[in-house]
Amino acid sequence: MEKKKHSRLLFIITVILLNMAASFAHPVTPTIFKNLNLGDYMFGVALGSMTIVNFLLSPFWGKINTYISSKKSLFIGCLGYALGQAFFGLAKTETQFIIARSFTGAFTGAVFVSLLTYVVNTAPDERQRGRDLTLVATIQSVGSAFGFLTGGLLGEIHTYLAIVVQVICLVICGISFFLICEDDASIPLSSLKFSELAKQANPFQAFVDSRKFLNVVLAFLFGVVMTQSLGFTAFDQSFNYYIKDVFGFSSGYNGLLKGAMGIITLIANTTIALWLINKTDLRKSIVWILAICVITVTGVVLVDAVIPFIIINVLFFAFNAVTIPMIQALVSQSAKEKDSNLVMGFYNAMKSLGSIIGAFASGALYTMNPKFPFVLTLVAFFFGTIFAFTYQKRDIAANNS
């Protein structure tokens, strides 16, 4: 029992380091692109290139974990992610950045799908699974923010130091996951049929196969997943570039701002999110939180003064962070045990689909007007609120019939 607690603590520490490391490059990316005189659209194109490959391969990682275990996929994913970021650090042209980001996307899917499948597969019961998913979602939001802070401060020393440290940390995470995680494979690798795997791991086939668990009610829930991801990707990438381009913030100030957001996110997720998940009907409360996001992002669109703009952005960031564990909890509750890996892979694929649209659209819209990506965020969260409201009504009606 003591060994299990020790392994769990090491797992949590590794997840924290992973999510911090994943954000080390973000605050220095605008500086790198500006110094190389790349187009303003590149922040969207680079991210979009990564997320589209992530989307294509997410179902593969969700399925292969059934045979090789999540710990091995986490190991492979972290090392591949590290190599991709090394390529990113060496890139000088737009084409090289797109290739580096695409390579990275092949392995980010392995990391984040496997992280979710490991939590789902190793939880002793549904209640603990919900707690663990909430913990992981909180770590993702807070770790990302503090990773941004760390990367920004490293960037003040030297722009590329953030990427060097990121590569080292990702390698450490991969080795750590491999050593401390349990083997959660449920089917022997010897029984794997590659023709069947190729069919089931095809991301477009995965949408067809999702009919095993997907119904009209769940379609609205996954609509929330996609619109939340689309909206926040457009916001996050544009905000990062906007405060560098419009306000002239350095990577250090950029990182400090995201660090402050991380503290607020931690407070919000350990108070508001946990209370909502444990004490309320999530189907109803998610509608209200998304509606608050709509209100705050409306302020982002309308306000231009630096201080009010930053304050409203921090509020939006915090409430958006609360939606993540809530949505994950709703999705995990809908996953029957035999379909859990497929459902979590589909969940990650839908998030990636939203990220692809959000990334490419925000980059293109930014070249027209720096505020247009925030308008896209507003529209996405508005529709997400409508989808959540419809899901709530239909799910309650289905359970009462």
Side-chain angles (χ1 to χ4, degrees):
M1 181 62 73
E2 194 64 34
K3 184 179 179 182
K4 196 166 186 177
K5 286 183 180 178
H6 182 65
S7 296
R8 177 177 168 79
L9 177 60
L10 288 176
F11 175 74
I12 291 170
I13 291 171
T14 306
V15 174
I16 293 171
L17 180 60
L18 168 67
N19 283 281
M20 286 184 63
S23 292
F24 284 173
H26 293 334
V28 299
T29 298
T31 302
I32 291 171
F33 288 172
K34 284 285 185 183
N35 288 345
L36 293 172
N37 296 314
L38 303 183
D40 288 340
Y41 54 83
M42 268 305 293
F43 76 88
V45 172
L47 179 66
S49 302
M50 182 177 76
T51 51
I52 198 167
V53 177
N54 183 321
F55 164 73
L56 292 172
L57 292 181
S58 284
F60 165 79
W61 292 112
K63 190 63 182 177
I64 199 66
N65 285 343
T66 308
Y67 298 93
I68 68 169
S69 89
S70 302
K71 64 181 283 184
K72 292 177 183 176
S73 293
L74 282 165
F75 175 69
I76 295 168
C78 285
L79 295 190
Y81 193 173
L83 185 58
Q85 287 308 103
F87 292 155
F88 181 82
L90 295 171
K92 300 297 180 187
T93 67
E94 291 185 357
T95 301
Q96 289 172 350
F97 278 110
I98 291 170
I99 292 171
R101 279 300 196 206
S102 299
F103 182 89
T104 301
F107 295 97
T108 53
V111 173
F112 294 107
V113 170
S114 301
L115 191 59
L116 290 177
T117 57
Y118 183 77
V119 169
V120 169
N121 292 342
T122 57
D125 53 54
E126 187 171 310
R127 188 174 182 82
Q128 186 60 47
R129 180 172 66 177
R131 288 174 180 162
D132 289 347
L133 286 171
T134 301
L135 175 63
V136 168
T138 302
I139 290 172
Q140 286 176 337
S141 296
V142 179
S144 174
F146 282 102
F148 212 107
L149 168 61
T150 305
L153 295 177
L154 289 171
E156 290 290 314
I157 300 171
H158 191 284
T159 302
Y160 286 93
L161 179 60
I163 296 173
V164 172
V165 175
Q166 180 183 43
V167 170
I168 294 170
C169 288
L170 288 171
V171 171
I172 292 172
C173 288
I175 296 170
S176 180
F177 281 129
F178 187 77
L179 294 176
I180 66 179
C181 290
E182 304 171 28
D183 191 331
D184 64 339
S186 57
I187 301 175
L189 183 59
S190 58
S191 65
L192 174 63
K193 295 180 181 178
F194 286 98
S195 58
E196 182 181 336
L197 175 65
K199 179 182 177 183
Q200 293 180 342
N202 181 316
F204 304 104
Q205 183 64 40
F207 282 103
V208 178
D209 291 342
S210 66
R211 60 189 175 187
K212 295 175 182 176
F213 62 86
L214 193 64
N215 52 40
V216 174
V217 177
L218 286 179
F220 284 105
L221 177 58
F222 281 104
V224 176
V225 172
M226 191 185 75
T227 51
Q228 185 275 338
S229 178
L230 188 162
F232 184 67
T233 300
F235 162 80
D236 195 41
Q237 292 300 304
S238 303
F239 176 78
N240 182 23
Y241 200 83
Y242 186 93
I243 60 177
K244 168 70 178 177
D245 184 41
V246 177
F247 298 145
F249 282 24
S250 69
S251 65
Y253 282 110
N254 205 336
L256 286 169
L257 184 55
K258 278 294 181 76
M261 289 179 171
I263 294 172
I264 293 170
T265 297
L266 177 61
I267 295 169
N269 272 356
T270 53
T271 55
I272 299 171
L274 281 178
W275 184 82
L276 290 171
I277 289 169
N278 293 324
K279 302 294 184 180
T280 70
D281 184 340
L282 276 180
R283 297 170 300 183
K284 296 180 179 178
S285 50
I286 189 64
V287 178
W288 290 105
I289 298 299
L290 287 169
I292 293 172
C293 288
V294 171
I295 294 169
T296 53
V297 82
T298 300
V300 172
V301 172
L302 297 177
V303 171
D304 292 316
V306 178
I307 294 176
F309 180 84
I310 297 299
I311 292 172
I312 297 170
N313 271 278
V314 169
L315 288 173
F316 171 72
F317 190 91
F319 279 104
N320 173 78
V322 172
T323 69
I324 297 171
M326 295 175 71
I327 293 170
Q328 282 190 354
L330 285 168
V331 172
S332 69
Q333 289 168 14
S334 72
K336 294 182 174 62
E337 188 172 341
K338 64 184 179 66
D339 294 324
S340 61
N341 283 4
L342 189 59
V343 171
M344 299 316 291
F346 184 71
Y347 164 76
N348 200 72
M350 290 299 289
K351 281 187 66 177
S352 295
L353 181 60
S355 294
I356 291 166
I357 299 170
F360 281 114
S362 62
L365 291 170
Y366 193 94
T367 60
M368 300 178 196
N369 187 308
K371 278 291 184 82
F372 281 0
F374 301 125
V375 175
L376 175 62
T377 300
L378 173 59
V379 173
F381 271 83
F382 175 78
F383 278 102
T385 306
I386 299 299
F387 290 151
F389 180 76
T390 308
Y391 164 73
Q392 170 214 325
K393 292 297 182 183
R394 284 178 172 265
D395 194 52
I396 290 173
N399 290 332
N400 290 336
S401 60

